[in-house]
Amino acid sequence: MKKQKRQFLLKEIITRQVISNQEELVDELMAAGESVNQATLSRDLREMGISRVNTLQGPRYEFSAEGEEKRIRTLISYEVQNILSNESMIVVRTLPGRAQGVAEMLDSLKITDVLATLAGDNTIFIAPRSVKSIKKIENTLREFITKE
């Protein structure tokens, strides 16, 4: 099974029902017609930011906030080609057709020094609250994208 398809199926299963252990997850994948070994399943869960947490109803797999941030960082790092600035604004160049999606992800970061973002097809203009914060915003974006 292709990794992307398998991970999408995992996401569907975990958001649709309570799964408390990997055996249950393997069973659900099998019921969907897909088999996976334990090592691949563990790697997928880690990559997707899915972890086993204890709840009042017992243990279950959930998406962690840290995992979502890592996923967003990974997506942005693939789609952003460069970050440039002048004395009045920041420009982020993306792959064709990806500027709006990247701008939405950047907006979700809620960087307080950013007044607004405007996205075209492959370019995002970022208006800073103050021109004094341009380098700070640029550094924040680069740090977010490259953070391990």
Side-chain angles (χ1 to χ4, degrees), residues 111-142:
I111 301 170
T112 56
D113 291 319
V114 172
L115 184 61
T117 59
L118 177 65
D121 181 64
N122 67 339
T123 305
I124 304 166
F125 293 113
I126 299 176
R129 287 196 182 277
S130 166
V131 294
K132 295 176 184 173
S133 61
I134 288 175
K135 287 296 174 199
K136 180 180 175 188
I137 295 168
E138 226 179 319
N139 291 337
T140 299
L141 294 175
R142 282 196 174 91

Side-chain angles (χ1 to χ4, degrees), residues 68-85:
E68 278 296 297
E69 182 178 299
K70 183 178 179 181
R71 185 184 66 80
I72 290 171
R73 256 195 326 273
T74 301
L75 286 173
I76 290 176
S77 72
Y78 290 132
E79 296 176 341
V80 170
Q81 293 183 318
N82 59 41
I83 302 170
L84 309 166
S85 65

Side-chain angles (χ1 to χ4, degrees), residues 81-96:
Q81 293 183 318
N82 59 41
I83 302 170
L84 309 166
S85 65
N86 64 14
E87 53 280 337
S88 61
M89 75 169 53
I90 301 162
V91 175
V92 178
R93 299 255 189 226
T94 69
L95 296 172

Side-chain angles (χ1 to χ4, degrees), residues 10-72:
L10 281 169
K11 184 177 180 180
E12 283 187 317
I13 291 169
I14 288 173
T15 57
R16 186 176 64 226
Q17 63 195 75
V18 174
I19 301 291
S20 59
N21 59 52
Q22 286 192 5
E23 292 79 26
E24 288 178 25
L25 201 45
V26 167
D27 290 344
E28 288 298 321
L29 287 167
M30 293 285 277
E34 304 299 339
S35 63
V36 64
N37 64 40
Q38 190 274 330
T40 300
L41 180 59
S42 292
R43 187 172 39 256
D44 283 345
L45 293 172
R46 187 174 52 255
E47 285 177 13
M48 296 172 67
I50 299 171
S51 56
R52 191 167 178 228
V53 297
N54 289 318
T55 67
L56 294 175
Q57 296 78 26
R60 69 178 294 166
Y61 282 99
E62 291 183 351
F63 288 93
S64 68
E66 181 181 292
E68 278 296 297
E69 182 178 299
K70 183 178 179 181
R71 185 184 66 80
I72 290 171

